Amino acid sequence: LYRLLMLFLIAMWSISRSYAAEVEGFLNAAFGSREDIVVDAIKKDFGESQKIQLYPVDEQTGTKTIEIKVPHFTPLDVPATISYILGYKCHCLIQVSVVWQLPQNITHAQRNSALENISKLVTSLSTKAWADGSILLGRVSDEIKEGQTSNYVFFRGVASDNSAITVWGAPVIIVKNISTAQADKGKATLT
């Protein structure tokens, strides 16, 4: 495994309340905020000297992206790209994506540490009160078929107002797992 992308849609810190989960923003950037307010929130969260890349409106989707790159970001503490997406109708913050890039020369210990931190994050998010919402833990995002590439979802929590947090994993390939145990001979499962 050369690299693992972690796409973390919408805020991990925004659900700190003890009642039903609502996703209100990412750090100091509140959903529904205008571009100038989002830029101010980025500067507050990451410092005035943070380089901010403003992309023009995407012709296909009508959305606009504000992007920053940081040398490390929790919970993986490796370089990350954080994208703030402004909607085409409201011209306001509608989504935040964090993509962590694990180094190609990652050690076994570093990979285990990253997976442990992902597990802690998923545990923390899944213990929130998602009343009248839903939680999905540890699933591929598409139909499971042998030989098919799919994305692995560590966690997806959807609140009653349809706001959501998703922790995606890297693409995976579904293959047959042929057991070597005598009792399981002839029984192939997908893995």
Side-chain angles (χ1 to χ4, degrees):
L1 184 65
Y2 292 104
R3 54 187 204 171
L4 176 65
L5 291 177
M6 288 306 307
L7 178 59
F8 182 44
L9 296 176
I10 313 178
M12 65 180 140
W13 293 283
S14 63
I15 310 180
S16 59
R17 299 180 188 178
S18 60
Y19 52 90
E22 292 177 11
V23 183
E24 296 176 348
F26 178 75
L27 300 175
N28 283 299
F31 292 113
S33 296
R34 296 182 328 261
E35 180 179 333
D36 58 331
I37 295 172
V38 173
V39 169
D40 287 343
I42 292 169
K43 289 178 180 179
K44 185 174 182 181
D45 292 333
F46 298 98
E48 289 288 329
S49 63
Q50 174 65 49
K51 182 181 177 197
I52 299 172
Q53 176 71 47
L54 300 170
Y55 291 97
V57 173
D58 182 279
E59 292 180 20
Q60 298 281 327
T61 63
T63 61
K64 185 173 184 178
T65 301
I66 302 169
E67 185 178 274
I68 65 170
K69 295 183 184 298
V70 294
H72 55 85
F73 192 69
T74 59
L76 301 187
D77 204 31
V78 295
T81 300
I82 304 172
S83 301
Y84 298 78
I85 293 78
L86 305 175
Y88 74 96
K89 284 186 179 178
C90 69
H91 305 289
C92 63
L93 186 63
I94 60 167
Q95 177 180 322
V96 176
S97 298
V98 179
V99 178
W100 287 274
Q101 183 71 49
L102 295 181
Q104 286 188 354
N105 58 351
I106 191 169
T107 66
H108 184 70
Q110 289 170 319
R111 181 177 287 113
N112 284 345
S113 175
L115 289 172
E116 184 178 314
N117 287 334
I118 293 166
S119 294
K120 288 177 184 175
L121 175 63
V122 167
T123 299
S124 171
L125 292 171
S126 63
T127 59
K128 302 294 181 191
W130 295 89
D132 299 323
S134 63
I135 293 178
L136 173 75
L137 292 171
R139 299 268 198 275
V140 292
S141 60
D142 301 317
E143 186 178 341
I144 298 174
K145 292 183 182 175
E146 184 180 2
Q148 178 177 320
T149 300
S150 182
N151 286 311
Y152 187 80
V153 178
F154 286 101
F155 172 84
R156 179 164 173 78
V158 181
S160 59
D161 65 355
N162 290 322
S163 58
I165 293 178
T166 304
V167 180
W168 292 90
V172 294
I173 297 176
I174 310 301
V175 296
K176 279 193 178 172
N177 179 24
I178 301 177
S179 175
T180 57
Q182 190 63 28
D184 295 331
K185 283 284 187 208
K187 295 179 186 176
T189 59
L190 296 178
T191 188

